[in-house]
């Protein structure tokens, strides 16, 4: 809360709330909020009705419970809507100026670390990318392999690495290219009998950024050439950064190359959560300085969940339409214009009992075990996984999830955090969770 320092006695209250709902969610909805606390009444001043409704529906019970826990009082929450007029024109980000370098890097200078939205879904990949810039070619960061489904930000990170390297070291030879381009250039070099020139070009680089390496995989001659190029750069302590739409283990590589890839940092960019998707849309809105309300952005973010590229494209599509027709963007306009790509609420819903059923089958426990008081590891661990999946796959609040498992919301928070930590540190467990999620989503919705 932006004036929390005025009420030092409330700091533990809001610290507890931040722990329960998560830092990113807290930063999105509560930290910017101005409030007044007097005589057990908490008055929240908010910029629009959508913001108020979100806090009321998702976090009001958690806020009230935190006040009761720390101060022993039952509070009343009042929501005051105070639109921010005139709207604040965003301060433009400083342009990344990359000094001239005679070597063609093929980088898109609009992709930088500054305009990449860091979030739990991509934090490790983002930090690993920054580490590459600070310790170029260091064994602990080389190679860096980033994998994810299409459209989640891999390409942005590769360009950001290259742009930042050239900003700090203008003389560096950096090259970005796709796997398809590598294959095409290699075939052309063979046809023109310029294989040696081709090899010299790539093996004298300081940083090689290759996007979509899956296009090289499975092509025997190209794979061998890439392996030799990789080895030459790696042994010379030159930086290699690769991206793929699948894990290195799933690529059709020579065993020697697979071993090389697995010796570096392997990191996944996961699907962004709702708060991250809204933050991405806000940043794009501010960058083009077009007036679109948070309620419209949230509607788009709710409807497009899997692909950042599609998310941004939908925003620009809406902006173009409203500009041409001189109308203000609204939810009804967005709903009609984007109906072909928005996921409906019915499509998104996942039933808690479906989650329990799939997890129970996976770990061989009964449905009633999820709500029982049994605390043996064979029951407690599947129960925690089911709670975690319910936080990820449904729109239920933490207290509502607690009631579904006959627990309080603090138990749900603990389960969520324990499972998240294991996902971040154990790739085999991550694969197991992804399989369970796929099975849950494959079940017909009730």
């Amino acid at each position: 809360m932006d004036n929390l320092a005025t009420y030092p006695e409330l700091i533990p209250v809001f610290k507890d709330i931040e722990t329960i709902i998560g830092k990113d969610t807290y930063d999105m909805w509560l930290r910017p909020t101005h409030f007044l606390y007097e005589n057990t009444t908490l008055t929240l001043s908010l910029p629009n009705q959508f913001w108020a409704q979100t806090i009321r529906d998702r976090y009001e019970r958690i806020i009230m419970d935190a006040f009761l826990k720390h101060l022993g009082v039952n509070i009343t929450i009042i929501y005051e809507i105070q639109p921010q007029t005139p709207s604040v024109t965003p301060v433009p980000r400083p342009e990344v100026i990359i000094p001239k370098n005679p070597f063609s890097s093929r980088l898109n200078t609009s992709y930088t670390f500054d305009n990449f939205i860091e979030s739990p879904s991509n934090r490790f990949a983002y930090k690993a990318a920054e580490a590459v810039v600070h310790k170029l070619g260091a064994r602990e960061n080389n190679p860096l392999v980033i994998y994810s489904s299409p459209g989640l930000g891999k390409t942005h990170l590769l360009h950001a690495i290259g742009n930042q390297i050239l900003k700090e070291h203008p003389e560096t030879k950096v090259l970005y290219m796709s796997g398809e381009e590598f294959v095409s250039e290699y075939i052309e070099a063979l046809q023109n009998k310029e294989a040696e020139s081709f090899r010299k070009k790539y093996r004298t680089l300081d940083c090689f950024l290759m996007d979509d390496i899956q296009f090289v995989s499975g092509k025997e001659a190209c794979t061998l050439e890439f392996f030799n190029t990789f080895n030459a750069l790696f042994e010379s302590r030159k930086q290699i950064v690769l991206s793929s739409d699948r894990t290195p283990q799933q690529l059709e590589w020579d065993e020697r190359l697979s071993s090389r890839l697995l010796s570096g940092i392997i990191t996944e960019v996961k699907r962004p959560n709702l708060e991250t998707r809204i933050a991405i849309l806000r940043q794009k809105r501010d960058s083009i300085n077009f007036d679109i309300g948070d309620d419209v952005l949230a509607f788009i973010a709710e409807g497009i969940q899997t692909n950042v590229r599609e998310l941004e494209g939908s925003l620009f599509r809406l902006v173009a339409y409203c500009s041409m027709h001189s109308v203000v963007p609204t939810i009804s306009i967005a709903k009609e214009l984007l109906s072909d790509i928005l996921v409906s609420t019915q499509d998104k819903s996942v039933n808690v009992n479906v989650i329990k059923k799939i997890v129970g089958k996976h770990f061989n426990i009964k449905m009633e075990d999820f709500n029982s008081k049994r605390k043996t590891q064979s029951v407690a661990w599947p129960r925690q996984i089911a709670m975690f999946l319910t936080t990820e796959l449904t729109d239920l609040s933490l207290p509502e999830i607690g009631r579904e498992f006959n627990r309080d919301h603090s138990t749900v928070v603990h389960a969520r955090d324990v499972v998240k930590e294991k996902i971040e540190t154990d790739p085999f467990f991550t694969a197991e969770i992804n399989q369970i999620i796929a099975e849950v989503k494959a079940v017909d919705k009730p």
Side-chain angles (χ1 to χ4, degrees):
M1 312 295 255
D2 70 354
N3 60 324
L4 187 55
T6 310
Y7 304 91
E9 72 277 14
L10 299 186
I11 291 176
V13 178
F14 286 102
K15 201 69 183 171
D16 194 22
I17 294 169
E18 181 180 351
T19 301
I20 291 171
I21 68 176
K23 184 179 183 303
D24 291 278
T25 301
Y26 184 88
D27 288 345
M28 171 70 72
W29 300 108
L30 296 182
R31 193 179 299 281
T33 303
H34 190 87
F35 74 96
L36 177 68
Y37 181 63
E38 189 174 16
N39 298 328
T40 71
T41 298
L42 180 69
T43 303
L44 303 180
S45 297
L46 303 161
N48 54 55
Q49 188 61 47
F50 169 76
W51 202 306
Q53 193 65 44
T54 299
I55 294 177
R56 181 184 291 113
D57 292 347
R58 296 188 178 189
Y59 314 118
E60 181 175 271
R61 186 71 260 168
I62 295 172
I63 294 171
M64 294 174 73
D65 287 349
F67 271 82
L68 182 61
K69 173 183 174 182
H70 290 274
L71 302 182
V73 295
N74 287 303
I75 65 166
T76 300
I77 301 180
I78 296 175
Y79 300 89
E80 287 187 351
I81 309 303
Q82 296 186 350
Q84 299 172 339
T85 52
S87 59
V88 179
T89 300
V91 178
R93 295 181 181 274
E95 182 182 356
V96 177
I97 300 175
I98 299 176
K100 288 184 178 180
N101 184 320
F103 186 82
S104 175
S105 66
R106 300 184 181 179
L107 290 169
N108 183 336
T109 56
S110 65
Y111 290 132
T112 68
F113 286 120
D114 283 342
N115 59 26
F116 186 88
I117 299 293
E118 182 187 354
S119 70
S121 61
N122 60 41
R123 185 158 291 140
F124 181 46
Y126 180 85
K127 295 299 183 186
E130 284 190 319
V132 162
V133 176
H134 299 318
K135 290 187 176 181
L136 201 60
R139 280 287 187 253
E140 63 266 27
N141 302 323
N142 205 16
L144 169 61
V145 182
I146 304 172
Y147 71 93
S148 78
S149 300
L152 295 183
K154 302 186 300 293
T155 298
H156 189 141
L157 281 176
L158 261 64
H159 283 285
I161 290 170
N163 285 324
Q164 191 64 28
I165 290 172
L166 289 180
K167 182 181 177 183
E168 297 182 11
H169 308 285
E171 74 290 347
T172 306
K173 292 180 72 174
V174 177
L175 178 65
Y176 165 88
M177 74 182 322
S178 69
E180 286 180 297
E181 289 171 329
F182 183 86
V183 171
S184 177
E185 285 194 16
Y186 178 64
I187 292 173
E188 188 177 335
L190 290 180
Q191 291 174 340
N192 296 332
K193 302 187 185 305
E194 295 176 348
E196 195 54 43
S197 175
F198 175 90
R199 295 186 181 107
K200 184 178 179 180
K201 171 185 175 181
Y202 289 98
R203 298 180 193 184
T204 57
L205 294 172
D206 296 304
C207 180
F208 187 23
L209 306 158
M210 182 184 282
D211 213 352
D212 292 325
I213 58 172
Q214 68 271 7
F215 287 106
V216 180
S217 171
K219 299 173 177 64
E220 189 174 343
C222 289
T223 301
L224 178 61
E225 185 60 37
F226 176 71
F227 174 70
N228 292 330
T229 298
F230 182 104
N231 267 346
L233 293 173
F234 186 81
E235 296 302 330
S236 302
R237 300 242 173 178
K238 305 302 183 182
Q239 184 65 52
I240 304 160
V241 184
L242 310 170
S243 85
S244 172
D245 66 353
R246 65 202 77 166
T247 68
Q249 296 95 321
Q250 294 171 324
L251 293 166
E252 300 174 32
W253 289 123
D254 178 280
E255 188 176 336
R256 297 171 300 166
L257 183 52
S258 293
S259 175
R260 285 290 203 190
L261 295 182
L262 294 171
S263 69
I265 295 180
I266 314 295
T267 177
E268 180 184 11
V269 176
K270 299 173 184 175
R271 191 177 69 180
N273 60 21
L274 175 62
E275 281 72 29
T276 302
R277 298 196 299 273
I278 293 174
I280 291 169
L281 290 175
R282 281 180 177 173
Q283 184 195 71
K284 291 298 176 185
R285 173 194 64 189
D286 293 347
S287 70
I288 60 177
N289 197 20
F290 195 85
D291 187 17
I292 304 177
D294 282 339
D295 55 340
V296 180
L297 297 185
F299 174 76
I300 297 173
E302 285 273 11
I304 300 175
Q305 303 177 11
T306 58
N307 191 307
V308 174
R309 194 177 297 132
E310 194 173 67
L311 188 71
E312 295 174 349
S314 298
L315 178 67
F316 293 134
R317 182 172 164 186
L318 179 62
V319 168
Y321 176 88
C322 292
S323 296
M324 284 189 291
H325 294 84
S326 300
V327 294
V328 176
T330 63
I331 289 178
S332 59
I333 292 175
K335 187 175 184 179
E336 182 177 352
L337 185 66
L338 307 175
S339 60
D340 56 328
I341 56 174
L342 292 174
V343 177
S344 71
T345 303
Q346 184 178 1
D347 291 335
K348 293 187 296 178
S349 65
V350 172
N351 188 281
V352 180
N353 287 331
V354 170
I355 294 174
K356 289 180 180 179
K357 181 179 177 181
I358 298 299
V359 174
K361 180 181 177 182
H362 194 85
F363 291 95
N364 196 28
I365 68 172
K366 301 175 181 177
M367 286 289 283
E368 53 264 31
D369 288 332
F370 289 104
N371 291 57
S372 73
K373 294 183 178 180
R374 293 179 61 190
K375 295 183 179 180
T376 59
Q377 183 67 7
S378 61
V379 171
W381 180 233
R383 183 191 295 135
Q384 288 180 319
I385 290 175
M387 288 181 184
F388 165 78
L389 292 175
T390 306
T391 67
E392 292 289 304
L393 301 177
T394 76
D395 291 327
L396 295 178
S397 67
L398 292 172
E400 288 171 332
I401 294 172
R403 287 192 287 274
E404 292 286 347
F405 290 86
N406 198 26
R407 265 58 180 183
D408 61 29
H409 68 261
S410 61
T411 304
V412 179
V413 171
H414 175 70
R416 179 195 66 190
D417 293 345
V418 167
V419 176
K420 270 188 175 181
E421 183 178 358
K422 189 166 179 62
I423 287 173
E424 291 170 358
T425 57
D426 186 341
F428 296 103
F429 179 67
T430 303
E432 185 178 18
I433 287 292
N434 288 338
Q435 178 60 39
I436 293 173
I437 291 174
E439 291 178 25
V440 169
K441 290 184 175 180
V443 175
D444 290 336
K445 307 297 184 294

